[in-house]
Amino acid sequence: MAELPVPELPTTLSRCSGRFTISTFLGSDEGGRGAYAPTEGPGCDSAHPTQLSGSTLCTRTFGYNTVDVVPAYEHYADSKDGGDAGKGRPSLADLHSILRPDPGHLRAPVCDPQRSNGLPDTASEEAEGEPGKVPEPEPVRFGWVKGVMIRCMLNIWGVILYLRLPWITAQAGIALTWLIILMSVTVTTITGLSISAISTNGKVKSGGTYFLISRSLGPELGGSIGLIFAFANAVAVAMHTVGFAETVRDLLQEHNSLIVDPTNDIRIIGVVTVTVLLGISLAGMEWEAKAQILFFLVILVSFINYLVGTVIPATIEKQSKGFFSYRADIFAQNFVPNWRGPEGSFFGLFSIFFPSATGILAGANISGDLKDPAVAIPKGTLMAIFWTTVSYLVLSATIGSCVVRDASGSLNDTVAMGSTGCEGLACALGWNFTTCTQQQSCRYGLSNYYQSMSMVSGFGPLITAGIFGATLSSALACLVSAPKVFQCLCKDQLYPLIGFFGKGYGRNNEPIRGYMLTYVIAVGFILIAELNAIAPIISNFFLCSYALINFSCFHASITNSPGWRPSFRYYSKWAALFGAAISVVIMFLLTWWAALIAFGIVIFLLGYVLYKKPDVNWGSSMQASSYNMALSYSVGLSEVDEHIKNYRPQCLVLTGPPNFRPALVDFVGTFTKNLSLMLCGNVLIGPQKQKVPESRLTADGHTKWLVKRKIKAFYTDVVAEDLRSGVQMLIQAAGLGKMRPNILVLGYKRNWRTASPQSLEDYVGILHDAFDFKYGVCLMRMKEGLNVSRVMQAHADSATLSGAQQASTIFQSEQGKKTIDIYWLFDDGGLTLLIPYLLGRKKRWGKCKIRVFVGGQINRMDEERKAIVSLLSKFRLGFHEVHILPDINQKPRPEHIKRFNDLIAPFRLNDGFKDEAVVHEMKQGCPWKISDEEVDINRAKSLRQVRLNEILLDYSRDAALIAITLPIGRKGRCPSSLYMAWLETLSQDLRPPVILTRGNQENVLTFYCQ
């Protein structure tokens, strides 16, 4: 800890945000002074004043004065990424740098021994922030019973419980019905466990299923599921409302009291019902919760009414309909299946029953309205699954023990015990249902009468009330879920034109606009009044959500991210994977075409988000997976021996700030994109104290600039005393394992004649260093220069930099039918050929014709051309146009020789006939100077550069690009100024970009297949 004296602070302190003082542990009496009493010394003093970050100040902790603070809740709340210092926590610089606090930034700490748990006191903070303002009432929050369990049970229970489960029991038998129930519950239980794990891995906000999936798997899958899940909930409102309207319509038909006609009655009743439900929802979550409790009680009463009815002795009327109370022989007969009709198969019945097991997300969908979502969602969801499963099993077993499969309903079908000609179990009970059974005309019994529960119950109308409660509660739950999920999706702004519906109102931030949108969608589907084609799609959308929730849990577990720490431990990643797979299988078992539609919509929405690349960072498991894969492949790559066939030009590009040299970035980015490593290097020259903060500020902005320009590259910088030492650091340290640069790419130094001699030495020294480290070198010169920093100034912050205007370069435009001219003058291993070849494969350069020029003798032109053509054909580069340059060794024109001599004149020693020792001493002080001896030794090479420039001007004046072998100056024998004169002479007066390339003299091309 950084020990510092504490300044004098007010003694009337009431609260201490996030810090424990010594008084908390030892009492206020310590040597006669309070915890904040003045101490000796002038305060946090130093010789180099620096401003403290945020509200950092000296407090007395653990018996001495320190800037350091103890752990507290607010230090970790709302942390976006690992680089953000927590609220109230001093920065690293505050702790280890010598500094003096700025009195204007000091905020007196206030202590409250009662708040020793470190949790935030939000109410007091709000009151303190706005004195005199009446605090808003607390929003309504629900516990696990009222908020999750009852809501999920109501959404799981539906009309299938009342109208289809008895019929399924008759078809599949009690045994297979239990299997169907348990199989369905297995999927929902696994999903419930996955929801529990995800919801306890951090703070859950509003948005329910969408929030859980998007924050786990990322915006791509989360956004697509959020949109279709909200839509599915909106249409489910219509489905459940139509189910209610059909039941009311049937009651009206029984009493001959239709309003208009059967179809329009459904529409009228449905619209009125959904309007009433909307009114309940808009009244607030509290009223909606009260309505749900009312529906829950109605369903419980109807269920108890049914159980009571099973033990009441059967009347003659009920016996005629197949009800005989509990009997072992009825149980035995109904225990085995009796398949009937087109839907009489195991998976056919499974597809009918499974939607009744769904609805487990109802509690999670209102996660923003729960007191403690991390506790309520696991506990409430799993308890809802348990109790609804018990209710399904009990109902199946009880009704299968009481009611026979076929009954006529006629009171005249009684028969004496033991009569002949009577078949079936009912004969032993005094009833003869043989005729209707053989003719398949029985109207009653489990196999024929959907209202068997109502018939068995003690009071039939209570079952009808239960059906009403089940349908209306499910409709209400979906009517609340859809806007809540959609609101969170709108706020994240993943899709256009939906933000309008995300606005919240009132203390619960109710999405009233979202409610109205859901209402309009529901009314639209209610008016269809026939949802048999839509229902399978909705079931598939819910299953899609289950699959992704399970996959989210599996994916988060398998990535081994340190951030995956759910407090709910009773889950298995392999069970979650099984749940995801089985959910997809069930989607196709239910309705294969609906499953394909669901997948098509998900893929379309996924593609849109991938294309738009929203600027969000939620720390998803996909990011963790990307890291895992990159790490695994990088380590695996280190174990692979290099081979020429797999050679890739991996470039370290000395761009400085990348936006200063966009042409250099575009050139390398064009041929390395999706092929090899590109690393933009920047050397920050100056004192470390000044440059390290600058590096932190701008690094992220430079990376964003590259992303915006669609350049697939890394950015790295180093702080060094001079350019050469910085480049040496980059050359040695850049890269990872086998993903290390092997080519140094840099721009041509245009101002070498006017620059300081040391910078000239450093520039040429960088080329020598690259060769020393076995790097290839690629040097680029453009007529207009590369550095656009005068036009585009460096930006101090990353936000401005990433949004900076993008400069256009030649490498971003279509080149048309020009030529790429390669002057392969010396064999460097083939790099001079490879880079133009890779460039020519790109669309913008694809129409360019590539020409290869090589030196040769005039009397052997044909033989040499055939030899080069044969060699190039073996390389399979597709270069067919080869030109031999027989006049390459001719003497240049005198005026060009004079121009070269004038170029080097300012850099000559003019030592004449001086003694060798004197010349050596002169060179020691000015190593860039050119002695007369060095001019003579290198005269032939100098004239070759002059002659090559003449050839380039003759042959390639109108080329799109010129690639030529880079001449090498021998260390100690070729001064830096002479070498730069060679490069200047070779590339001067040329309009197209010139790429001077030299490999490391090792093969990068091969014509062998092994």
Side-chain angles (χ1 to χ4, degrees), residues 558-560 624-640 736-739:
I558 205 73
T559 54
N560 293 321
S625 176
S626 299
Y627 176 86
N628 271 12
M629 291 173 64
L631 181 63
S632 175
Y633 287 141
S634 297
V635 172
L637 198 61
S638 300
E639 302 169 3
V640 178
L736 181 70
K738 291 291 176 70
M739 293 183 64

Side-chain angles (χ1 to χ4, degrees), residues 223-245:
S224 56
I225 275 299
L227 200 57
I228 65 171
F229 188 73
F231 178 76
N233 271 283
V235 180
V237 175
M239 288 180 58
H240 295 301
T241 306
V242 167
F244 168 78

Side-chain angles (χ1 to χ4, degrees), residues 666-685:
D666 290 340
F667 164 65
V668 181
T670 301
F671 70 81
T672 59
K673 187 174 184 179
N674 299 325
L675 176 83
S676 59
L677 174 70
M678 175 180 173
L679 201 154
C680 295
N682 183 18
V683 179
L684 299 170
I685 302 171

